[in-house]
Amino acid sequence: MNSRSAAPARTRTSAHRRAALAGLLPGLLAATLLTAPPAASALAAAPAGPVAQSPGARTAAVPGGCGQLFDDFAYTSSTDPALRSRGWTVRTGAGGPGVSGNTWSAANVDFPGSGASRTMRLRAQTDGTAAGTVNAEVYQQRKFFEGTYASRVRFTDAPISGADGDPVVQTLFTITPLDFPNDPAYGEADFEYLPNGGWGATRPNLFTTTYETYQNDPWKADNVSSTIPGSLDGWHDLVLQVDSGHVRYYLDGRLVADHTGHVYPETPMSLNANLWFIDLASHTGGVSRYEQEVDYVYYADREVLAPTDVTARVAGLRTAGTSHTDTVRAGTCTPTTPPVSPPTTPTPTPSPTANTPAPRPTPTPSATPVPTVAPNPPAAPLCDRLRSWTRHRLYWPGATITHADHVWRATRATRRAVPGTSTAWQDLGRCSAS
């Protein structure tokens, strides 16, 4: 079933997730989901890393951007003090998404293996009742925005014990809390694998979905979603690029979705993984347990990396014996290397299905070098070479936009402050028409 027909069921379930997140993640911390019960399984060690190349991929990038996060999950347990000190939270307690009355347990998150070969494992279980449905969730701080997100994830098609057939969701995603219905500052970008179908699908599907916003009651979502049908049982490389108006989803080095326009994120997000059940309607009895594993996570702040670049970056960190590094800081930063954008005319397996109007073009700012000694005053920048100011977009210090035929530079992080009426903006002078 295509993403359009699947969307209503899918997004209504997501409403429960977002409603729960709005309550769980006040302020600047966004949460997500992880589940799993204790159960042993004989698993092969995670492959060393991604191997597939994307079309037009270049050689390994030189580290630059505004910092990076790499975590190889070399922790001893979900209560390891290093886990929290490095910005991770393991969710506990009740709440959505999924089955009303379900819970989340730190016991469902563990780190099997030893040394550098450890992975993060999420498990979820259900006996067909809400009280017996236990999920797992782990999430990072809310400080991630434009740049490259990457992970190596093991999806599973069958339970590790018990009867099969439950609509379980295995995920990796970014998200911003919803402060109020239809909050324009909300954002979300999802990889969601449903091995037993769900949200209108009857077979395995990977959903890639980018949200602009939503309201919970009555339910209404503003998003773009694409589906990749077929089994993904086993290890897979996931790469998400958020850059210059594009949200690109890569699966094993292949571009499978490119979402543009108004759904582009506008505020910092948290980085999350979870495992949970949509409902209990298809449960056939007994206790069923499912699992998902994460080999590592990587994020390059304000730097665009092709999948092969991610491979090289992660391999270099591991060769150096680095199991964790985090130099990502929210706020101002000038990248030390320019973004390297991959092809922008992909042919995803499915065509994205928009629930809202067509995307708007996103012009790219073009800087004009200023000579040390200029014989004549430099020409005013062209208005149409810069983005226009938008009330609900978050601007970092140094961001340059146009408003009322003038060029403005942000002096601090700002949103909703009108250029010309606030010290958050410095007037750089008039701009000219093209």
Side-chain angles (χ1 to χ4, degrees), residues 160-424:
I160 56 177
S161 65
D164 198 0
D166 297 289
V168 65
V169 185
Q170 305 168 25
T171 76
L172 184 80
F173 63 99
T174 65
I175 196 168
T176 300
L178 186 80
D179 290 337
F180 52 87
N182 295 315
D183 181 1
Y186 179 80
E188 181 177 353
D190 303 334
F191 284 100
E192 295 173 303
Y193 180 57
L194 281 61
N196 291 321
W199 297 331
T202 58
R203 56 176 176 167
N205 266 283
L206 176 69
F207 286 77
T208 59
T209 307
T210 309
Y211 273 81
E212 164 63 11
T213 190
Y214 76 97
Q215 67 179 34
N216 194 47
D217 187 18
W219 172 250
K220 181 181 179 182
D222 184 355
N223 64 25
V224 176
S225 188
S226 307
T227 58
I228 298 85
S231 171
L232 291 178
D233 188 62
W235 287 98
H236 295 278
D237 304 312
L238 309 181
V239 172
L240 174 72
Q241 297 171 343
V242 179
D243 173 66
S244 301
H246 289 259
V247 181
R248 305 182 187 90
Y249 296 82
Y250 288 83
L251 173 66
D252 295 327
R254 182 169 60 97
L255 183 60
V256 295
D258 186 351
H259 299 162
T260 63
H262 72 289
V263 297
Y264 188 77
E266 297 172 317
T267 57
M269 300 174 285
S270 61
L271 175 60
N272 316 266
N274 65 28
L275 182 64
W276 53 284
F277 298 93
I278 296 174
D279 58 51
L280 304 175
S282 57
H283 191 74
T284 56
V287 178
S288 298
R289 295 181 170 91
Y290 296 80
E291 70 179 18
Q292 164 189 350
E293 280 188 279
V294 182
D295 182 20
Y296 71 87
V297 294
Y298 180 82
Y299 170 71
D301 190 13
R302 281 162 272 192
E303 184 179 15
V304 180
L305 300 177
T308 47
D309 297 335
V310 173
T311 304
R313 193 71 64 81
V314 171
L317 289 163
R318 285 175 162 170
T319 298
T322 301
S323 62
H324 174 269
T325 184
D326 185 0
T327 56
V328 178
R329 300 291 180 267
T332 184
C333 169
T334 301
T336 58
T337 57
V340 180
S341 298
T344 57
T345 55
T347 54
T349 301
S351 297
T353 299
N355 295 340
T356 48
R360 63 177 183 270
T362 307
T364 301
S366 177
T368 303
V370 178
T372 303
V373 178
N376 297 301
L382 298 178
C383 295
D384 58 5
R385 295 288 182 88
L386 298 171
R387 296 188 184 190
S388 297
W389 173 75
T390 302
R391 176 178 296 276
H392 297 296
R393 180 176 293 278
L394 174 68
Y395 295 95
W396 293 110
T400 305
I401 52 87
T402 62
H403 179 69
D405 296 327
H406 277 239
V407 179
W408 304 85
R409 177 183 294 133
T411 60
R412 61 177 184 266
T414 180
R415 188 176 68 195
R416 298 189 178 95
V418 180
T421 66
S422 169
T423 57

Side-chain angles (χ1 to χ4, degrees), residues 13-97:
T13 301
S14 294
H16 299 305
R17 174 167 73 190
R18 293 172 179 79
L21 285 171
L24 283 169
L25 309 177
L28 290 180
L29 190 60
T32 320
L33 347 97
L34 274 179
T35 346
S41 61
L43 299 174
V51 294
Q53 290 192 357
S54 61
R58 61 186 190 87
T59 57
V62 176
C66 295
Q68 61 183 348
L69 166 71
F70 172 68
D71 204 325
D72 224 354
F73 296 115
Y75 303 106
T76 57
S77 72
S78 61
T79 59
D80 189 331
L83 192 65
R84 177 167 287 277
S85 69
R86 292 172 176 175
W88 294 103
T89 297
V90 180
R91 183 180 174 186
T92 59

